[in-house]
Amino acid sequence: MSSMKIIAGLVAAVAATTWVVQSRHSSSTSSATVDRSDASPRTPVASRQSTPPLGSGRLQAQSALSPSGRLAQEATRSRNLREFVERAKQRPTEGGIAYAVAAMHYCQHFMQMSANYSSLAAEVGRSQDGGTAARRLAALNQLTAQCRDFTAAELGQAMSLRASGKWSDPILQLQGRWFEYSRLTDDQRVELVSATLAAKDPYLLHWLGPRIGQQQHNGETIVYFDNQRFGGLETAADWWAAWSLVPCQFGEDCSASSDLTQLCVFDATCYPDRQALVRSKFAGREAEFNKVLTVAASLSDAVERGEARRFFKSPTRH
């Protein structure tokens, strides 16, 4: 979400720092207003049309969405999140409690951020560039409409709702198992990764994806995927960037998801889709950006096929 912790698109307000946020803090962008929405065709931030995450076509369309993938799509396209939450709560076996809680955290975060501005609409209107100001205002209107029907008391019940779903919601169950990952045997880790990939859930893929297969090697956290090592600052950035595109293939609408919307409102950096955001982090490094697209396609393929062992290459065998 912005300064901000975001997970899985709208879908993601439950406190996990994503590559999008990490790269924003490490970038050299100045404090001046920035309009990144120069991709063609131009897509307003508030648009609800789903667009493929990779314009190069390197990512192939995946199979039919999972039940939770359909929830993710519904959530990221929702115009009224309170109504979405009520519907999602009736679908706990599809991951509805996880998505309801994420939507509530998302609106709670937006309200908290809004409270830091005496007049957010006026601040948005002061954007130095007229096009950016229009996009920021559209994003602000979208966020306000999505969250306006919640009361503070309702949003305060998010954690109790989460607790009520821990036995019935398969996404919450999988998430809970990951807190024990460091204690598992190698075979148990492979089984857990297999179960996570099989769920094809955008929430888990965004929250967990970059951490799947992590191991310690000579004091460094690394990942081996398809015989390629990702570790250290340079390749770690590629890894996080590639994973940020994967949920787009499994239900999350990445043409105007929550990370983009809140970045536009609060940071005045507006992008038409997540691929444009990722591209901006590799400006002037086209080869590296193309590598990210290739890795994202391979990751999506691993998820689609449920090939957990692609994440467990031993460093000693590389």
Side-chain angles (χ1 to χ4, degrees):
M1 292 189 142
S2 31
S3 104
M4 294 162 81
K5 299 195 176 185
I6 46 182
I7 349 191
L10 134 81
V11 202
V14 188
T17 306
T18 67
W19 170 85
V20 170
V21 177
Q22 289 185 329
S23 61
R24 182 179 67 81
H25 285 301
S26 62
S27 71
S28 59
T29 302
S30 72
S31 59
T33 299
V34 180
D35 183 357
R36 305 291 190 186
S37 55
D38 54 356
S40 179
R42 301 174 80 87
T43 305
V45 171
S47 169
R48 282 291 144 214
Q49 295 182 353
S50 179
T51 56
L54 299 188
S56 67
R58 293 195 185 188
L59 283 186
Q60 301 300 312
Q62 303 301 326
S63 62
L65 297 181
S66 67
S68 63
R70 289 192 293 270
L71 273 168
Q73 190 172 78
E74 184 179 343
T76 48
R77 295 176 177 178
S78 174
R79 295 180 181 275
N80 186 315
L81 288 176
R82 188 179 186 281
E83 293 179 357
F84 166 77
V85 165
E86 293 305 311
R87 293 192 301 271
K89 288 193 296 187
Q90 305 306 311
R91 298 156 63 182
T93 60
E94 300 176 28
I97 303 300
Y99 280 87
V101 170
M104 294 167 74
H105 279 298
Y106 171 74
C107 285
Q108 191 173 47
H109 181 270
F110 169 59
M111 291 180 178
Q112 290 170 347
M113 290 297 297
S114 299
N116 294 332
Y117 293 81
S118 58
S119 176
L120 185 56
E123 195 277 334
V124 166
R126 287 194 292 269
S127 299
Q128 297 176 15
D129 176 82
T132 297
R135 291 180 177 86
R136 292 183 75 190
L137 184 58
L140 174 60
N141 289 339
Q142 174 184 310
L143 285 168
T144 302
Q146 285 180 315
C147 297
R148 66 158 49 102
D149 287 350
F150 281 115
T151 66
E154 286 173 329
L155 294 176
Q157 296 172 4
M159 295 313 294
S160 60
L161 175 60
R162 187 186 190 285
S164 74
K166 66 180 180 180
W167 303 116
S168 60
D169 187 307
I171 304 306
L172 289 179
Q173 290 172 355
L174 273 173
Q175 185 185 33
R177 290 177 62 190
W178 275 89
F179 290 108
E180 303 297 322
Y181 186 81
S182 63
R183 304 177 185 178
L184 301 180
T185 65
D186 289 346
D187 287 344
Q188 289 172 328
R189 290 181 178 185
V190 173
E191 187 279 326
L192 179 54
V193 171
S194 294
T196 302
L197 299 184
K200 298 180 182 177
D201 175 62
Y203 177 99
L204 291 177
L205 292 175
H206 212 132
W207 182 67
L208 289 169
R211 299 167 178 81
I212 291 177
Q214 278 189 355
Q215 54 187 287
Q216 295 296 315
H217 182 62
N218 293 332
E220 182 184 14
T221 299
I222 61 171
V223 173
Y224 273 79
F225 174 69
D226 283 352
N227 299 321
Q228 183 175 354
R229 171 179 169 144
F230 294 86
L233 292 178
E234 182 176 352
T235 56
D238 295 349
W239 182 245
W240 282 81
W243 265 114
S244 75
L245 297 172
V246 174
C248 310
Q249 293 297 104
F250 295 94
E252 184 181 346
D253 184 347
C254 294
S255 64
S257 55
S258 66
D259 51 331
L260 301 177
T261 307
Q262 291 210 24
L263 282 169
C264 187
V265 172
F266 295 111
D267 289 1
T269 51
C270 302
Y271 304 86
D273 52 45
R274 190 172 295 148
Q275 183 183 341
L277 171 57
V278 172
R279 179 183 287 276
S280 75
K281 305 305 174 184
F282 294 89
R285 295 179 288 160
E286 195 68 18
E288 192 172 352
F289 174 67
N290 287 332
K291 175 185 173 184
V292 167
L293 301 189
T294 300
V295 174
S298 296
L299 289 169
S300 295
D301 180 69
V303 174
E304 177 67 17
R305 298 173 183 272
E307 295 175 337
R309 290 198 175 274
R310 291 169 71 176
F311 296 91
F312 286 92
K313 175 73 175 179
S314 171
T316 59
R317 294 167 56 193
H318 182 65

